[in-house]
Amino acid sequence: MRLYIAEKPSVGRELAKCLRGPIARRDGYLVTKDGIVTWLFGHILRQAEPEEYDEKYKRWRAEDLPIIPQQWKLFVDKDCERQFAIVKSLIDKADEIVHGGDPDREGQLLVDEVLDYLGNKKPVKRILLNALDEKSIKKANASLRDNRDFFNLKQSALARARADWLIGMNLSRAYTLAARRAGHEGLVLPIGRVKTPTLSLVVRREREIEHFKPVTYYLIKGMFRHENGSFEAQWKPKDTMAGLDSENRLIDKNIADEKLAFFKDEPHEAVISSYQKTKKQEPQPLPFSLSTLQVLAGKRFGYAPQLVLDTAQKLYEKKLTTYPRSDCEYLPTNQFGDAKTILSHLAKTGDELVSSWVPVANPQQKSRAWNDKKISAHHAIIPTTVQADVTKMTAEERNLYHLIARGYLAQFYPVHTYDQTKIEVQYKDELFTASGRTERDLGWKVMYQSMKKKSASADESEEEGKEGKDEDESTKTLPAMKKKDIVNWQRGRLLEKMTKPPVRFTASTLLAGMKEIHKYVKNPEAKKQLKDVYGIGTEATRATIIDDLIRRKFLKAHGKKKYLVPTPVAYLLVDALPDDLTYPDATAIWEDKLHSMSEGEGTLAEFLQGQIDFTRKLCQKAEDIHMEVKGENVCPRCHQGVLIQRKGRNGVFWGCSNYPKCRMTCNDKNGKPDLEDAKARLAHTPRDMAPAAVSASALAQQQRSASRQLPAAMNAAGTSYLSADYAASGRYQETAADIEALNSLFSPADYAARMEEDRKSYESQQQSAWQNWADKPKYSASPMEHMQEPDGQKEQDKTYLCPRCREGHLRSLHGRNGVFWGCSNYPRCTATFDDDHGRPLLK
């Protein structure tokens, strides 16, 4: 028995219609004489969550990162359990399986992962459905391929999915925790391999606009008279003259006025120093990929990318157009024979413009779009051989079908030919230039001009992916002339112009930016390398990524044209992240590698190892980032966190949100942190200048030896480690030189060694200095020896400030030899005290 597994129910139904009947309907599948057709619902297997690898990952902790699965796990999606059971039972009964996923990377993976999950060993064929009309399906079914031919495509999809998991799960946790350390409670920062660089494009563009300073500059245009007619040319100032900015624009109006007056003076004779007339041809624009269709529909009709994808999907399921999630703009030559049928059907769609274009189209003409070498698993989006009726379509379907039909028709129109003319005029030892074009044959452009009046045709030149030219320049016709002809100055005019800020992204132009990502990379070498890659994201996911950024309130659509504007949380996220995540260089290179992997270059293991190394590096960077602190009680020690109320064994206290990097604690005073007491304690100890991780014993040792370790320059200047005010005031008054000296003592490289030394010293003291509990030394607590208990305070409600470090609180602990009291600041403070009837013995 042959089993067809389609990607979704709608595809399964159309596939069954093209097999020999009758069709018997069953729960979750269809039975035909040629085999059974069942379906999935896209990805019915999901990747495991971190806590499904280990229960400890349920709690987000920086010390657990990065999370690297040793064995990748998949689980059946809860909503798909019933259909999965049906598919499993059919696979068990099948003799041969036909993989019917969409002809792209994700389509390949979502069926393959089910077969791999079930350990299938039965032969698997692959059917490539680029269209759902009967002719296309039967043709595809007659030319099945071995599914092993697409192993590399599956590996590429698997690499993409696992890379997204590594980046998303680890870095979202790492930078969310960093935000919470800075007081942003409840904030979740989703990091994505493609999503984050995309968001950064919008944030950087907005900042360019905010910081843009308009510049006024001046142009001079002169009208010259030739015996065959007049023409206007623009003055090109010499780059050595005064009054120019860095981009060679004249910004000094006085000089501009002087120059115009100079040109008006006699003599008025000039000469044509250069005249070039070239015949040029502009080929037909290529048919649409999904991205080019989304960009044009956004500009032409204001449609959001997701709406374009959804509408194209509906046209595909109605069998009117081919597979919509295509990243290809070329057509296979074996479909060239369908041109005559498709053109005849386009004449009867009910679209008057399309019908008027068909008679001129030549079905025998073959454009550059017909190229088998450019075809991968799918081809450009074109109409099918099924007759369409636009009167029965929605407005969105009608407009998209019109664009797709026009793009197909253009392949059977002549190329656009014109004469391009460029001239240079020498006048009073200054250069004037002019350019123009004369149309020879509009060719395919006649269709693009008919949608609007001809004067607006330049607006649609962007459809071919080219920069629109100034309308005056593109439509100007120059008189016939030749080099060394004499012309005369007639008049001139001074134009005042102003530089404009860059335009904000819309959903459509942002999608185009994702596709042409090489324009936005930071590294010049990477820019060259990435010019020909496929951008970041895929045809099917780019629109979803933009929509997700809007849904999560990182972006909002503003104004009638729905320009995308970043929200405050978007600035917070982008500002906190390193360039590795905010610039698209690495992501674009990975996309290129994924594409190469689908063609057999590179391995899954190599790619993932690179992702693991990258993830590990960025998790480490997250430990040291500095975010804008949010909250009213900023930590007086580290200034990178806020004090948060906590409940300990001995009552309420306040601790820094930057814990464990900062272990600042503070007493509670009427529901608020006692900041005055905390600041006073910091002022009385040089520890406030040291990292929180330096132990009290190490600090004391450093203070004793500081004078021997000070830089020679400081000793030579006679600067002492402690200021002269110290003895008199009892306080340590630091100077800039003192701080520099302390910083030299607390280098990160020495910290780990000092901590290990303190730990060994503490253990050695316990093991050698005393063997029995009764022999344990009693530490002096002179600062607290004569403290009086407040009237009415119960013993169990009291908290004991550590008399050694004066930061931690003493807590009751149960050791091998009984109860004792230790500092909560351990291991940085190793003070211990005996228990005396439920309280620490401080004498």
Side-chain angles (χ1 to χ4, degrees):
M1 182 263 287
R2 173 180 278 185
L3 174 66
Y4 291 85
I5 304 178
E7 180 168 324
K8 53 181 93 60
S10 59
V11 176
R13 288 192 296 269
E14 298 303 327
L15 178 56
K17 291 177 185 178
C18 298
L19 303 178
R20 287 186 301 158
I23 299 175
R25 299 182 181 276
R26 299 287 187 270
D27 184 13
Y29 63 98
L30 301 169
V31 181
T32 74
K33 286 186 177 180
D34 288 334
I36 292 177
V37 180
T38 188
W39 47 80
L40 308 177
F41 301 117
H43 285 281
I44 65 174
L45 295 176
R46 63 171 179 82
Q47 293 201 70
E49 297 292 324
E51 57 267 26
E52 291 173 314
Y53 286 100
D54 193 320
E55 186 69 21
K56 71 178 182 180
Y57 296 140
K58 204 166 204 176
R59 183 183 174 195
W60 289 25
R61 300 189 307 173
E63 53 265 37
D64 291 334
L65 303 177
I67 302 167
I68 311 294
Q70 298 303 310
Q71 189 72 33
W72 291 87
K73 296 180 181 180
L74 293 173
F75 290 96
V76 180
D77 191 282
K78 189 174 182 180
D79 296 333
C80 304
E81 289 176 349
R82 186 171 175 219
Q83 185 63 18
F84 177 80
I86 293 170
V87 173
K88 180 180 182 300
S89 66
L90 292 173
I91 289 175
D92 292 339
K93 299 173 185 175
D95 300 313
E96 181 185 62
I97 298 167
V98 178
H99 182 314
D102 283 348
D104 60 8
R105 191 164 68 188
E106 288 306 302
Q108 185 66 38
L109 177 62
L110 61 85
V111 177
D112 276 346
E113 66 185 3
V114 172
L115 298 175
D116 293 343
Y117 185 85
L118 296 174
N120 174 67
K121 301 296 182 185
K122 296 174 182 179
V124 182
K125 299 290 186 182
R126 184 68 160 98
I127 184 171
L128 298 173
L129 298 174
N130 278 299
L132 294 182
D133 59 288
E134 184 178 356
K135 182 178 179 181
S136 298
I137 291 176
K138 286 185 174 180
K139 187 175 181 180
N141 197 36
S143 54
L144 298 177
R145 295 176 61 181
D146 193 316
N147 192 51
R148 288 175 295 187
D149 295 346
F150 300 90
F151 174 78
N152 292 324
L153 190 63
K154 179 186 77 171
Q155 293 295 90
S156 173
L158 203 56
R160 193 276 316 157
R162 291 178 179 177
D164 285 349
W165 193 98
L166 287 169
I167 299 294
M169 293 297 179
N170 285 293
L171 299 187
S172 294
R173 289 184 177 217
Y175 288 94
T176 294
L177 289 170
R180 291 179 181 176
R181 289 196 296 269
H184 298 269
E185 285 295 322
L187 178 64
V188 176
L189 299 178
I191 309 294
R193 188 176 57 87
V194 177
K195 186 184 303 179
T196 304
T198 301
L199 176 63
S200 302
L201 290 180
V202 183
V203 170
R204 279 195 293 273
R205 175 64 58 85
E206 191 66 22
R207 286 212 162 116
E208 287 176 25
I209 295 170
E210 289 173 1
H211 299 141
F212 177 80
K213 295 181 179 179
V215 175
T216 302
Y217 64 99
Y218 302 92
L219 301 176
I220 295 177
K221 294 199 173 185
M223 183 67 70
F224 293 91
R225 173 70 182 173
H226 186 273
E227 61 181 10
N228 293 329
S230 297
F231 64 93
E232 190 173 53
Q234 182 172 308
W235 171 59
K236 298 293 181 185
K238 297 175 182 177
D239 57 10
T240 55
M241 72 172 291
L244 301 182
D245 65 5
S246 59
E247 297 186 29
N248 233 37
R249 293 178 298 222
L250 181 60
I251 58 175
D252 190 320
K253 189 173 187 304
N254 291 331
I255 294 178
D257 289 335
E258 290 173 5
K259 211 68 181 175
L260 182 59
F262 170 68
F263 292 142
K264 290 179 179 178
D265 291 342
E266 295 280 358
H268 289 161
E269 187 178 278
V271 64
I272 304 295
S273 57
S274 175
Y275 180 86
Q276 297 177 345
K277 184 175 182 180
T278 310
K279 179 182 177 181
K280 292 195 173 184
Q281 293 185 333
E282 194 172 343
Q284 300 87 346
L286 292 170
F288 291 108
S289 65
L290 176 60
S291 288
T292 54
L293 181 61
Q294 287 171 316
V295 171
L296 178 57
K299 292 178 179 178
R300 182 76 178 86
F301 304 113
Y303 292 164
Q306 190 62 48
L307 174 62
V308 177
L309 174 56
D310 294 341
T311 305
Q313 181 69 28
K314 291 176 184 177
L315 291 173
Y316 169 65
E317 293 179 359
K318 290 179 179 181
K319 311 176 192 178
L320 300 177
T321 58
T322 56
Y323 180 64
R325 291 175 173 82
S326 173
D327 60 357
C328 180
E329 298 175 351
Y330 292 86
L331 298 168
T333 54
N334 62 9
Q335 291 191 15
F336 185 72
D338 296 336
K340 191 172 182 179
T341 303
I342 294 174
L343 292 177
S344 66
H345 286 171
L346 290 178
K348 296 176 285 187
T349 59
D351 186 319
E352 293 183 4
L353 276 174
V354 171
S355 299
S356 67
W357 295 331
V358 172
V360 185
N362 177 11
Q364 303 303 316
Q365 176 175 298
K366 187 176 285 188
S367 71
R368 62 183 174 133
W370 305 96
N371 190 337
D372 289 335
K373 293 180 180 179
K374 300 283 189 177
I375 305 298
S376 53
H378 33 69
H379 56 69
I381 306 170
I382 61 171
T384 64
T385 55
V386 174
Q387 178 65 63
D389 184 355
V390 299
T391 62
K392 297 180 180 178
M393 296 180 185
T394 64
E396 291 83 5
E397 291 172 346
R398 186 164 57 250
N399 288 334
L400 252 62
Y401 189 82
H402 177 95
L403 294 179
I404 294 168
R406 186 181 66 170
Y408 183 75
L409 273 168
Q411 309 311 310
F412 306 98
Y413 265 63
V415 296
H416 169 55
T417 59
Y418 61 94
D419 289 329
Q420 179 71 56
T421 308
K422 293 182 179 180
I423 66 169
E424 293 181 358
V425 181
Q426 284 291 333
Y427 177 57
K428 295 190 174 181
D429 200 29
E430 296 284 353
L431 177 66
F432 286 77
T433 64
S435 63
R437 59 192 291 167
T438 304
E439 306 293 351
R440 288 190 171 209
D441 184 357
L442 279 174
W444 57 268
K445 276 211 167 183
V446 69
M447 292 187 291
Y448 291 77
Q449 290 185 331
S450 60
M451 291 189 72
K452 291 183 177 181
K453 59 183 181 179
K454 290 189 177 183
S455 63
S457 63
D459 296 338
E460 289 211 351
S461 64
E462 292 179 84
E463 296 167 15
E464 293 81 54
K466 299 181 182 296
E467 295 291 335
K469 295 182 180 180
D470 182 85
E471 187 177 336
D472 292 337
E473 292 293 322
S474 64
T475 59
K476 186 189 299 179
T477 300
L478 298 173
M481 61 185 82
K482 62 183 184 295
K483 188 176 180 180
K484 296 185 179 180
D485 279 359
I486 301 300
V487 294
N488 287 283
W489 170 279
Q490 289 184 298
R491 60 184 178 276
R493 58 186 180 125
L494 181 65
L495 303 179
E496 183 176 308
K497 299 280 186 177
M498 186 167 287
T499 55
K500 296 180 181 179
V503 180
R504 288 185 174 91
F505 285 109
T506 63
S508 297
T509 57
L510 181 57
L511 188 144
M514 295 171 72
K515 186 176 176 67
E516 299 177 334
I517 201 63
H518 67 277
K519 295 179 179 179
Y520 303 98
V521 299
K522 188 177 182 181
N523 187 322
E525 292 302 317
K527 186 185 289 284
K528 296 176 185 177
Q529 178 185 348
L530 298 172
K531 188 171 183 179
D532 297 323
V533 303
Y534 291 76
I536 56 175
T538 66
E539 300 292 320
T541 60
R542 288 173 186 142
T544 305
I545 288 168
I546 296 171
D547 277 2
D548 188 58
L549 289 171
I550 296 173
R551 182 178 59 83
R552 290 177 178 267
K553 302 189 185 317
F554 285 94
L555 297 176
K556 59 182 179 181
H558 177 73
K560 184 178 179 182
K561 294 189 176 181
K562 297 183 179 179
Y563 288 119
L564 297 178
V565 179
T567 61
V569 70
Y571 288 107
L572 173 74
L573 176 60
V574 172
D575 289 345
L577 298 180
D579 287 353
D580 310 72
L581 282 172
T582 59
Y583 279 89
D585 304 44
T587 300
I589 290 173
W590 292 335
E591 290 287 354
D592 189 35
K593 289 182 178 178
L594 287 172
H595 181 72
S596 298
M597 191 184 300
S598 67
E599 296 179 342
E601 297 178 20
T603 66
L604 174 62
E606 292 171 350
F607 183 85
L608 287 182
Q609 188 56 54
Q611 299 297 296
I612 290 170
D613 294 342
F614 181 78
T615 302
R616 184 172 283 114
K617 179 180 75 171
L618 289 181
C619 283
Q620 291 172 353
K621 284 188 175 183
E623 290 293 312
D624 300 318
I625 65 169
H626 301 298
M627 284 191 179
E628 178 187 355
V629 179
K630 180 181 180 182
E632 57 178 319
N633 300 311
V634 178
C635 176
R637 162 175 282 173
C638 69
H639 305 288
Q640 294 175 24
V642 294
L643 297 178
I644 298 175
Q645 191 181 70
R646 303 183 186 278
K647 190 170 184 180
R649 183 178 296 180
N650 297 309
V652 174
F653 71 101
W654 293 74
C656 182
S657 62
N658 199 21
Y659 177 89
K661 295 181 70 176
C662 176
R663 295 178 183 260
M664 176 68 191
T665 57
C666 187
N667 293 326
D668 181 79
K669 184 177 181 181
N670 301 322
K672 291 186 177 182
D674 191 349
L675 291 175
E676 293 303 318
D677 175 67
K679 290 176 181 177
R681 285 190 287 112
L682 289 174
H684 276 80
T685 173
R687 285 184 54 118
D688 62 312
M689 296 178 299
V694 179
S695 68
S697 59
L699 181 66
Q701 181 181 357
Q702 288 165 352
Q703 289 177 341
R704 287 193 297 271
S705 61
S707 59
R708 296 193 301 273
Q709 301 183 38
L710 288 178
M714 292 179 61
N715 289 331
T719 307
S720 64
Y721 181 65
L722 297 178
S723 69
D725 296 334
Y726 181 82
S729 66
R731 292 182 174 227
Y732 173 60
Q733 302 292 332
E734 68 271 19
T735 66
D738 297 333
I739 293 174
E740 181 182 352
L742 280 176
N743 286 339
S744 70
L745 300 178
F746 299 121
S747 65
D750 297 333
Y751 165 63
R754 289 201 304 271
M755 289 297 292
E756 180 65 15
E757 183 181 347
D758 288 346
R759 185 186 65 78
K760 289 179 179 178
S761 174
Y762 177 70
E763 291 176 352
S764 172
Q765 179 188 35
Q766 287 187 340
Q767 293 173 5
S768 61
W770 52 276
Q771 298 298 325
N772 299 316
W773 186 259
D775 298 330
K776 182 177 179 297
K778 309 297 188 295
Y779 293 101
S780 171
S782 55
M784 300 182 68
E785 285 175 357
H786 306 292
M787 289 181 63
Q788 299 295 320
E789 297 181 5
D791 294 338
Q793 184 178 8
K794 296 181 179 179
E795 186 65 39
Q796 62 266 32
D797 295 336
K798 290 178 18 179
T799 60
Y800 300 94
L801 185 69
C802 176
R804 176 178 291 183
C805 69
R806 299 189 63 80
E807 285 195 353
H809 292 80
L810 300 183
R811 55 186 179 182
S812 177
L813 303 170
H814 292 268
R816 287 185 180 180
N817 299 308
V819 177
F820 69 101
W821 291 74
C823 181
S824 62
N825 210 12
Y826 176 83
R828 286 168 303 172
C829 178
T830 58
T832 58
F833 302 90
D834 289 342
D835 180 75
D836 182 17
H837 300 93
R839 63 181 180 179
L841 184 62
L842 301 176
K843 296 184 180 180

